[in-house]
Amino acid sequence: MKLSTAIFQILLGPLALAGAVPKGESKITYGGYKAFRVATHNNPAAIKEKISKLSAVTYNIDNREHLDVAVPPQEIAAFEALKLEASVLHEDLGADIAKEGTVAAYEGVSAQAVPSLTWFNAYHAYADHVTFFSDLQAAFSNQSELVTAGTSFEGRTIFGIHLWGSGGKGSKPAVYYHGTVHAREWISTKVVEYIAYNLLTQYGTNTTVKAILDKYDFYILPVVNPDGFVYTQTTNRLWRKNRQTRSGQSCVGTDINRNWPYKWELTNGASTNACDETYKGLAAGDSPENKGLVAFTLGLKNSKGIKLFIDWHSYGQYILFPYGYDCSLKPANYALQSSLAAGTAARIKLSYGTSFTYGPSCSTLYATTGDSVDYLDSVGLAQYAWTIELRPTGSGTGGFVLPAAQILPTAIEQWEGQKYLLAAA
């Protein structure tokens, strides 16, 4: 549904504007932590066992080739004594978080003015992302509307924007983007915002962009895990899950991208331990965020259908398509998806030389169950359902903590890739 800017802000409420550290918690600075990429040689369980007695924070989940861990300063010597095959991601994780840039203030724009591209020079607070989309929509009110896809556990609105070209709103198949399902993956928010920005600002001057926006309706949700996103800015930069609490459980959070109600019940692609990063929840689709996203998705399916879905993540530089739950399966249009992914990767590389690996999710990276791509493919009936893992690849390049100077290059190369994909699909 369409919302006026004023009503949209009211619905977000005071929780959307909260910037303080939650009561009873201290901000984790990661000062002096050293982050390593550890080679697993396809035996991650053995590596996890070796580091299990340390207070290391595992912050990239790769079940085949490597494990990324942040080690507190008092345990670095003990970690190094394990003699693991490792390279350094961060000499001082806390210092690199500081270099990533403080969360910048957004001053907004005057009525009907287009937000400045300087928005993409820094990271911003959740409330400012809401305002940015409101300002962008107001500047192009004849081609866009603000939309919502439910409410988070803590009461924040999952907001987005709907864009259209000729034929009017809702007249074309959907291109559907999710950003920041995993809270610490800040760059994904900026990338989908950059795509929305360019679709609107270039529509009247760029024939390629006009053709794309005349061909599809776009539904872009930049922060589908708002509670977790806020928590990464107030308390713990490396938080991944939502902030859902459950009776009888001391650990907080569900991985929204292991909670989709498709193949959720299978094992080995998610965790049943509430303390784990990939905790799947108690039942399929039982997180508030997933309930809203499922309803929104089915609304698109039942309207004009979904041409393309992309769940944007970081990091690793991958283009992944179904399936996550079974490494032996490939989608019926596998050859076409592979061709499109190859062309997209080639177009991305033209901008800055950034290389992307592509293929089915499970066999290319690792098994996942209850994930968005498998749901969108099999239930949402999207013709193409992808995950794109953004910069960097890992070692020596920052992991989740991507410097603000890399926001625009990351967004630009993905915009170029999307122009190719959307024209070719």
Side-chain angles (χ1 to χ4, degrees):
M1 62 178 174
K2 182 175 181 180
L3 303 170
S4 71
T5 301
I7 295 175
F8 192 60
Q9 295 285 6
I10 291 169
L11 280 176
L12 288 172
L15 281 173
L17 306 177
V21 175
K23 187 177 180 179
E25 297 191 48
S26 300
K27 185 168 186 176
I28 301 170
T29 65
Y30 292 100
Y33 275 65
K34 193 170 183 176
F36 298 90
R37 168 155 287 183
V38 184
T40 66
H41 300 291
N42 295 314
N43 190 5
I47 301 299
K48 290 177 182 178
E49 175 63 26
K50 288 183 178 181
I51 65 174
S52 62
K53 294 181 181 180
L54 304 178
S55 302
V57 179
T58 302
Y59 67 90
N60 193 44
I61 303 153
D62 187 323
N63 292 331
R64 284 192 176 84
E65 297 176 355
H66 61 258
L67 192 70
D68 294 350
V69 296
V71 181
Q74 68 272 19
E75 295 184 349
I76 291 173
F79 174 85
E80 292 176 339
L82 295 174
K83 303 296 183 181
L84 300 173
E85 183 182 332
S87 56
V88 176
L89 282 171
H90 300 274
E91 288 287 349
D92 185 334
L93 178 59
D96 285 347
I97 288 173
K99 290 177 185 175
E100 183 182 36
T102 57
V103 176
Y106 174 56
E107 297 179 358
V109 297
S110 58
Q112 305 305 312
V114 179
S116 169
L117 269 173
T118 58
W119 170 259
F120 300 99
N121 292 341
Y123 294 104
H124 296 84
Y126 169 73
D128 284 345
H129 287 279
V130 176
T131 304
F132 173 81
F133 258 28
S134 296
D135 289 344
L136 186 63
Q137 189 278 327
F140 297 94
S141 57
N142 292 329
Q143 281 187 275
S144 65
E145 64 180 356
L146 300 172
V147 295
T148 64
T151 305
S152 70
F153 179 78
E154 294 180 340
R156 296 178 175 89
T157 300
I158 300 171
F159 70 96
I161 195 167
H162 169 202
L163 316 177
W164 60 83
S166 63
K169 71 174 183 177
S171 62
K172 307 293 170 59
V175 172
Y176 180 28
Y177 296 150
H178 285 183
T180 330
V181 63
H182 292 146
R184 58 198 177 193
E185 298 169 12
W186 291 5
I187 187 60
S188 66
T189 316
K190 288 292 185 176
V191 165
V192 298
E193 288 173 340
Y194 188 79
I195 293 169
Y197 184 93
N198 280 285
L199 285 168
L200 288 173
T201 59
Q202 295 186 27
Y203 179 80
T205 58
N206 186 304
T207 56
T208 299
V209 174
K210 186 178 188 307
I212 289 170
L213 196 49
D214 286 344
K215 188 177 179 182
Y216 305 113
D217 276 46
F218 284 76
Y219 300 84
I220 299 174
L221 310 180
V223 187
V224 300
N225 179 7
D227 299 346
F229 183 61
V230 170
Y231 192 74
T232 63
Q233 297 185 328
T234 62
T235 309
N236 183 354
R237 176 64 184 86
L238 296 183
W239 187 259
R240 169 184 168 97
K241 300 182 285 183
N242 74 357
R243 294 295 299 163
Q244 185 173 2
T245 58
R246 297 172 185 269
S247 177
Q249 293 181 353
S250 59
C251 291
V252 175
T254 299
D255 185 344
I256 301 168
N257 202 37
R258 300 296 186 275
N259 190 239
W260 287 81
Y262 181 74
K263 303 299 182 182
W264 176 92
E265 71 282 358
L266 299 181
T267 59
N268 299 321
S271 176
T272 57
N273 183 341
C275 299
D276 287 350
E277 297 275 42
T278 59
Y279 176 56
K280 66 197 294 185
L282 292 174
D286 70 346
S287 68
E289 294 84 357
N290 194 266
K291 291 179 190 298
L293 294 171
V294 164
F296 192 86
T297 299
L298 293 179
L300 298 182
K301 170 192 172 182
N302 295 331
S303 179
K304 297 296 181 181
I306 302 169
K307 179 72 173 185
L308 169 68
F309 169 76
I310 298 180
D311 202 347
W312 300 83
H313 290 257
S314 70
Y315 57 93
Q317 296 174 199
Y318 292 95
I319 299 171
L320 305 171
F321 37 89
Y323 294 94
Y325 71 90
D326 188 331
C327 291
S328 67
L329 292 182
K330 295 178 180 178
N333 59 353
Y334 170 75
L336 179 56
Q337 296 223 44
S338 294
S339 176
L340 288 171
T344 301
R347 190 61 59 89
I348 290 168
K349 191 171 185 178
L350 288 177
S351 295
Y352 301 98
T354 312
S355 295
F356 276 71
T357 301
Y358 59 89
S361 177
C362 184
S363 59
T364 303
L365 193 55
Y366 48 73
T368 57
T369 53
D371 68 79
S372 62
V373 166
D374 288 354
Y375 181 90
L376 264 290
D377 172 87
S378 298
V379 181
L381 303 182
Q383 186 170 354
Y384 310 106
W386 288 6
T387 293
I388 293 185
E389 298 275 0
L390 299 163
R391 292 185 184 193
T393 54
S395 185
T397 53
F400 295 115
V401 183
L402 193 68
Q406 289 201 43
I407 294 172
L408 265 176
T410 304
I412 288 168
E413 67 191 11
Q414 292 304 320
W415 170 235
E416 293 303 317
Q418 288 302 290
K419 283 192 291 183
Y420 163 83
L421 175 61
L422 293 165

